[in-house]
Amino acid sequence: MASAKPSGTRLRSLDEICRQCPVIAVLTVHDVRTAQALAKSLVAGGVRVLEITLRSTDALDAIRAMSGVENAIVGAGTIVSAGQVQDVVDAGAVFGVSPGFSPAILHECRRAGFPLLPGVSTATEIMSARDHGIDIVKFFPAEAAGGRAMLRSFLAPFPDIRFCPTGGLTEHNTPDYLGMSNVICAGGSWVAPASAVGDGDWAEITRLARIASSFR
Ligand code: 3PG
């Protein structure tokens, strides 16, 4: 049985998704009533790729709501088990992100025709992902796992792997990551601070999104 078609923007590949804007917004939505305004404020500032973490009870509803926002490319983050994949596909997500590399999750994503950005933080994990045909990975948690020095060290043995560093990135250190040749894009929650979301300060989020989208 075919699953419901997502109403959001569907792109062909992870490569295409990662090239849409320099920064992927990592969003944990606690109140679905804020979801559309949040997505619109980010898209208005040029941040189109939105990763909604599965860390709140409203996450699937938020994916559904945000998928209806024009020009938003909505994905699901914090996928930690294969059983979550069909749920996020049915909610309208067009890509997935996992904090680590799991062959079972990758298998389920491929079965569903769903691009996955898996997380890695060691050479062993990169080799395992590579053995499964992956060449774009999330470097997580970027700052805690060695930051730019670690990414530089990965360049010689893994010249074919491109990274999306996420975890501990800010408005200030993101441009340095984006300047690295093996970084395809970066991720961060800093574009939508919880305080601004709580205050409904959408203008502030658009301002931060403009900064993020001007980095490249
Ligand atoms: C993630 O889930 O990718 C990270 O928790 C986001 O990290 P940040 O909040 O430090 O940007």
Side-chain angles (χ1 to χ4, degrees):
M1 196 175 75
S3 58
K5 262 215 163 126
S7 52
T9 305
R10 182 179 274 287
L11 295 169
R12 276 192 307 276
S13 68
L14 191 61
D15 178 84
E16 209 180 333
I17 290 166
C18 289
R19 290 182 184 286
Q20 292 304 306
C21 50
V23 175
I24 296 176
V26 179
L27 309 167
T28 300
V29 179
H30 292 287
D31 182 348
V32 69
R33 290 172 301 178
T34 64
Q36 287 216 338
L38 174 56
K40 283 179 187 165
S41 63
L42 287 161
V43 171
V47 172
R48 299 180 61 203
V49 184
L50 314 178
E51 173 193 334
I52 315 309
T53 72
L54 298 181
R55 292 186 219 146
S56 73
T57 50
D58 281 10
L60 290 177
D61 286 336
I63 290 170
R64 252 177 234 111
M66 290 168 146
S67 294
V69 171
E70 200 178 351
N71 292 323
I73 299 163
V74 180
T78 328
I79 296 177
V80 293
S81 71
Q84 294 171 304
V85 173
Q86 195 59 53
D87 289 345
V88 302
V89 170
D90 289 345
V94 297
F95 70 96
V97 184
S98 56
F101 176 66
S102 153
I105 292 173
L106 179 64
H107 178 78
E108 186 61 15
C109 288
R110 284 185 172 159
R111 191 198 59 74
F114 184 64
L116 176 71
L117 179 65
V120 299
S121 62
T122 66
T124 302
E125 291 157 6
I126 294 168
M127 290 171 70
S128 180
R130 206 163 167 272
D131 282 348
H132 285 82
I134 296 282
D135 63 2
I136 303 177
V137 290
K138 165 173 169 165
F139 175 45
F140 176 79
E143 281 287 287
R148 283 177 289 133
M150 190 72 157
L151 279 181
R152 247 191 313 276
S153 305
F154 287 150
L155 190 54
F158 307 115
D160 53 335
I161 301 293
R162 287 163 299 162
F163 296 87
C164 170
T166 309
L169 270 66
T170 66
E171 172 183 348
H172 306 291
N173 62 12
T174 294
D176 293 333
Y177 278 98
L178 290 171
M180 302 183 73
S181 61
N182 56 350
V183 169
I184 184 167
C185 64
S189 61
W190 63 268
V191 284
S195 54
V197 175
D199 293 345
D201 190 351
W202 310 123
E204 169 63 2
I205 291 171
T206 298
R207 184 186 75 79
L208 291 168
R210 280 204 185 101
I211 292 171
S213 58
S214 74
F215 281 156
R216 252 182 191 167

